[in-house]
Amino acid sequence: MRFKYGMLAPLVAVFIAVVGFPLLYALYLSFTDYKLTDRGAPDLVGFENYLSTFTNPAFWEAFGVTAVYVVVAVGLELVIGLAIALSLQKQKWARDVTRSMLLAPMFITPIAVGLTFRFLLNDQIGAIPELLRGIGISYDFFGPGRALFTLAFIDVWQWTPFMVLLLLAGLESIPKQPLEAARVDGGSPWYIFRRIVLPLLAPVLVVAILLRALDALKVFEYVYATTRGGPGTETQTIQYFTYQTGIQFFRLGEASSMAFVVLAVVLTVIVIAFRRLERNKRA
Amino acid sequence: MSLRKKSGRFAAGVALAGAIALTATACAGSGGPAEVTSSGLGNIPEDTSGTVRILMENVPDTDIVKDLVSEFNTVYPDITVDIESLTFDQMRDKLVSSFQSPDPAYDLIVADNPWMVDFAQAGFLEPLDQRIDSTTDYDAADFFTPLTDITTVDDVRYGVPFYNYALGYLYNTADYEAAGLQVPTTLDELVSDVTALKTADRAGIAMQPQRGYKIFEEWANWLFAAGGSIYDDEGNITLDTPEAKAALEAYIDAYQNAAPANSLNWAFDEAFRSVSSGEAASMISYNWNLPALNDPAGASGDLAGQFKLAPMPGGKQVLGAWSWAIPSNSGAPDAAWAFASWITSKAVDVERVSAGGAAIRESTLEDPAVLEDGFGADYYEAVKQILSDAAPLSQGAGGEEMIQAVGTELNEAVAGTKSIDDALRDAQSAAEKTQG
């Protein structure tokens, strides 16, 4: 074996063990009727699980719920994160303290965040409803038509700092010369932001959105800790639905096929996003 | 690169993938239970040695059991009891992994009632008929019948009762007296009482309409109170009936007019907090919450002592239960039965219940030592009535899925996103699909 391939061997071995085997095993399970309560080897059922997944309205409803959640959460994180990053870029004093404090929510485990907000938003003992009542507002955070947005808000609270971190790094890597030239030419701040900063920040923005969207797509803990998918199925996300099918209801084969359908959709989105990015770069 | 080289690498890749897939095939479900070494004996010799690893829920009743272990060791000095406690949500996954493993993690478990049929039919649990019948003075007929019904699958007993989760009506007597009301005996009275109990700063009833298990567990009591049932005598699902409709209408009426505002997602924690803090006058919950509500050192503070327990209007209520069961791959089944039969024996059950444990034996609730303890004879009388006429949420396999499916439909009806008729029709359909 040539030396360069030999050097790759440890990485390949770890990759196969850590990523490849679980992935292949899950793929295999998705073609079986395996239940957690089964004993012995399961039977192969071909594409039956995939057919069941594709024709299951509850699965697609959960997919839709997750998509709305991702769009709302990541959209807000992008806008708020960009605003904070632009402010921090101009900060002159105590930069390190501000930045480290801002990152604090990211260090808390999501299940703890979910449980905290479950009680914080509780109408009876929660501080936030109490404050709102003080100004004459009664708002059911986990009520119909609102619960999903509440979960998105929790995501925004926890993960906007991540967006800030990425965007701040992107802003600070933008070369100063075009900005100075625009200022000398009398460009307004809004014009400079729209015509210079945003285009130069575009690659970072795409990566930031992609990373956050992929992470938000995995939302499970907030649902588990707060609504358990309710009211009705309004907050039943794809991960919670898959968890229920595979772990709670024991149908691991069916749940594996769901996971692979999600994987296929996500990979398609990623490939399209990166191809567009490359095309824009070339243009 | 030549075509030959390419096809060679492709073949190698396919071979590697195939090898991994074959390994995967070999893994799935291959870890079945090891050979059973159970003697099937009832009376376990006192010189038996071994370690019994037990998984229990992280709740006060587990602490009571832990406190009794030293007493067990005076009888069985060579048996080590090693209790691991986890939160409810983590338990089942750990149990299923242990059942599947040739090197199990647990020798004795406590099983929740919706799991019992699935576990038994999967062959995960050891049949206990022989042990129960051959244990001297065990008196299995003394257990409340609804509790032993849960442990019996296809006429075989796979467990013995450990703890009951039967529900009842918990209410604040001071609030009732102030409102000039009597404890409700019909569903209509329940709705009118809790509506009348509502004031500007207090709800009439703290409800638990959270999607899934919680709402189904709570609403089923209303269903029984309306004269309905979850299953008929032949075991058919009966959720789309006039009684079920009346029960759901009453439930929604109470939620809208007597429950705390914005409590659609409440579960046990919130409801208990609401009642113990005086912000709600009543709740439908587990019978053994009464000692907790009346505990002067507990959450109720000055309100401790004001609470009472009554059977549900109509006299029938929902029953949940934990049962001791021995995994069929247990590494120490005899030692496990020694502990399970000892802790559920008449004498030890009196000690456990006196310490705050939930009742499982009829004789325990008539024992002077229990009746004279701090919780009160009227409390135990109510518990006795409750346990004498109670039914579980599910029968048969797939109980967990049925409960979740029905609980989702009920929650939709309370949220107003589905009509009562549609919700009950869909609940019936989902339950039939799961268990029909």
Side-chain angles (χ1 to χ4, degrees), chain A residues 36 224 226 232 236 247-248, chain B residues 89 92 100 211 265 401 411:
Chain A
L36 278 174
Y224 189 78
T226 57
Q236 183 164 268
I247 306 297
Q248 220 171 353
Chain B
D89 291 325
R92 202 182 62 154
Q100 298 272 16
R211 175 197 153 162
N265 204 48
E401 185 166 3
N411 179 262

Side-chain angles (χ1 to χ4, degrees), chain A residues 5 16 20-21 24-26 28-29 32 34-42 56 61 118-119 121-125 129 133 138-146 224-236 240 243-244 246-251, chain B residues 9 16-17 20-21 23-33 89-90 92-93 96 100 115 118-119 122-124 210-211 255 260-271 273-275 277 279-280 328 400-402 404-405 408 411-412 415-417:
Chain A
Y5 296 125
I16 287 173
F21 177 75
L24 273 175
Y25 185 54
Y28 156 72
L29 284 182
T32 70
Y34 186 55
K35 286 186 79 177
L36 278 174
T37 48
D38 281 347
R39 301 164 78 186
N56 186 351
E61 190 190 340
R118 173 181 162 189
F119 288 102
L121 300 176
N122 182 300
D123 201 76
Q124 180 203 19
I125 55 167
R133 267 196 298 275
S138 173
Y139 185 85
D140 184 3
F141 284 94
F142 296 115
R146 296 168 176 179
Y224 189 78
T226 57
T227 63
R228 300 274 167 135
T233 51
E234 279 187 29
T235 58
Q236 183 164 268
Y240 190 75
Y243 158 79
Q244 279 204 312
I247 306 297
Q248 220 171 353
F249 307 152
F250 299 128
R251 296 197 298 271
Chain B
R9 284 184 185 174
L16 178 65
I20 293 171
T23 313
T25 313
C27 289
S30 63
D89 291 325
Q90 296 174 307
R92 202 182 62 154
D93 304 347
V96 172
Q100 298 272 16
W115 309 341
D118 288 312
F119 286 178
F124 292 155
Q210 187 185 66
R211 175 197 153 162
Y255 173 72
N262 302 334
S263 58
L264 183 63
N265 204 48
W266 277 24
F268 170 73
D269 287 343
E270 290 92 341
R273 239 177 254 270
S274 184
V275 173
S277 63
E279 291 182 11
S328 49
E400 187 82 26
E401 185 166 3
M402 188 279 280
Q404 292 296 329
T408 300
N411 179 262
E412 292 236 46
T417 51

Side-chain angles (χ1 to χ4, degrees), chain B residues 93-117:
Chain B
D93 304 347
K94 294 267 282 185
L95 287 176
V96 172
S97 306
S98 176
F99 294 150
Q100 298 272 16
S101 171
D103 183 19
Y106 306 110
D107 307 299
L108 177 66
I109 65 157
V110 286
D112 196 8
N113 55 301
W115 309 341
M116 186 58 83
V117 179

Side-chain angles (χ1 to χ4, degrees), chain A residues 174-193:
Chain A
I174 291 175
K176 301 281 180 280
Q177 294 87 338
L179 301 174
E180 282 163 10
R183 272 190 216 108
V184 171
D185 289 345
S188 68
W190 173 242
Y191 180 88
I192 294 170
F193 172 73

Side-chain angles (χ1 to χ4, degrees), chain A residues 109-132:
Chain A
T109 175
I111 191 74
V113 171
L115 286 169
T116 304
F117 274 98
R118 173 181 162 189
F119 288 102
L120 207 56
L121 300 176
N122 182 300
D123 201 76
Q124 180 203 19
I125 55 167
I128 294 172
E130 184 63 25
L131 287 172
L132 289 177

Side-chain angles (χ1 to χ4, degrees), chain B residues 372-389:
Chain B
E372 286 164 15
D373 74 16
F375 302 136
D378 55 346
Y379 163 61
Y380 290 114
E381 181 54 35
V383 173
K384 198 172 168 181
Q385 285 180 42
I386 285 169
L387 283 172
S388 299
D389 191 6

Side-chain angles (χ1 to χ4, degrees), chain B residues 320-383:
Chain B
W322 288 100
S323 310
W324 293 105
I326 302 175
S328 49
N329 62 347
S330 168
D334 282 2
W337 177 248
F339 186 72
S341 57
W342 179 86
I343 196 104
T344 54
S345 64
K346 281 186 172 181
V348 180
D349 196 55
V350 168
E351 281 186 60
R352 193 183 57 79
V353 172
S354 292
I360 51 171
R361 283 183 175 273
E362 290 190 48
S363 63
T364 302
L365 297 187
E366 286 162 4
D367 191 285
V370 171
L371 296 177
E372 286 164 15
D373 74 16
F375 302 136
D378 55 346
Y379 163 61
Y380 290 114
E381 181 54 35
V383 173

